[in-house]
Structure formats: C-alpha cells, structure tokens
Amino acid sequence: SVRDKSESAISALWKEANFPPNDPRRKILPAICDRNWFCRKFIGDEAVITEEDEAYIWPKVRTVLSHTPLAILSCVAAYRDTRFQWETKYVNSTPHRVTGLKAQRKKDAVGLVDADAMANELSMLIGYSFRTAMQNISG
C-alpha cells in the first residue's frame, strides 16, 4: 500500500540520515541531510528520540512537506529508476545526481518522465493514504 511504501521510504531515509557523511550506506543522500535535518523536516525540533524510536521512527513523523511525496517516491528504487529524469552535476569534481532543475520552457516537466501521470498517481496515493489513516480514528 501507499502507507507501507511511505513508511518504508521514511524509515530508509531515517537510517541513511544517521550514517556518517561519507558512509556508502547513505547512498545518494547528501551530507547536509543528517539526523538533525531529518528531525527538523519530519518530526519537529522538540522531538525526543528514544531507543525504541531509533529502530522504528514512523510513529514520530509529524510533518509531511508538500514536496515530500515526490521526495519519498524518488527514494523508492522502482519510482526513482522509472519516473524521474536525473542529471549529473559536478561540484569540485564530485558527481551529484539531481532532478527537478529549472525547465528551459514553462511547459516542460521538470525532472519527471511523465508529469501528468505522476500527478494522477500522487493524487491517488495521497487519497488512499488519507482514507487509510481515517479508518483508525474513532468518532
């Protein structure tokens, strides 16, 4: 389900953010995206992370930014390799894989293979996630 994929992607991102900056287990995650960054973006600055949270961070996630669904999907190999257009940019001779650079023309889709299809799929995934979350609320 969408929720499972989101949970899996956020959990993987949490693990990667906790590795040292040059650790290959960070995969493509930049050094600036560390534990503190993760907490600021997804949990909140006042978050207290217990040992139990270390292994399972999903219940602590409180914030989803508007671009987060795309960021999460870009972390899922099946989406990353088929739905996004990547470019390699070099900074001080170090290659960086990036997507979403400014379009040459306004009508161009930036970083996506098919922007309309992705918008439709995201809408469906977010709607499904919302309905799934609402099932657990008693009224």
Side-chain angles (χ1 to χ4, degrees), residues 100-126:
L101 298 176
K102 187 175 180 180
Q104 296 299 319
R105 298 182 310 247
K106 287 188 177 192
K107 66 178 184 167
D108 291 341
V110 179
L112 298 172
V113 172
D114 185 338
D116 291 334
M118 181 62 89
N120 289 335
E121 189 162 2
L122 271 175
S123 177
M124 186 269 309
L125 293 172
I126 291 169

Side-chain angles (χ1 to χ4, degrees), residues 4-78:
D4 294 339
K5 285 186 179 187
S6 295
E7 180 179 339
S8 175
I10 286 285
S11 296
L13 185 60
W14 168 249
K15 288 176 187 172
E16 291 172 18
N18 278 281
F19 291 125
N22 294 324
D23 193 308
R25 293 173 292 179
R26 289 178 64 87
K27 300 177 185 168
I28 63 171
L29 191 64
I32 196 169
C33 299
D34 60 7
R35 178 189 182 95
N36 291 331
W37 165 84
F38 184 97
C39 288
R40 281 192 318 275
K41 295 296 181 187
F42 298 100
I43 299 173
D45 291 330
E46 305 301 318
V48 175
I49 307 299
T50 66
E51 271 188 53
E52 185 177 325
D53 298 329
E54 291 287 338
Y56 186 57
I57 199 66
W58 182 251
K60 287 285 191 174
V61 173
R62 296 288 175 253
T63 303
V64 178
L65 305 172
S66 61
H67 64 277
T68 299
L70 278 177
I72 291 171
L73 289 179
S74 75
C75 295
V76 177

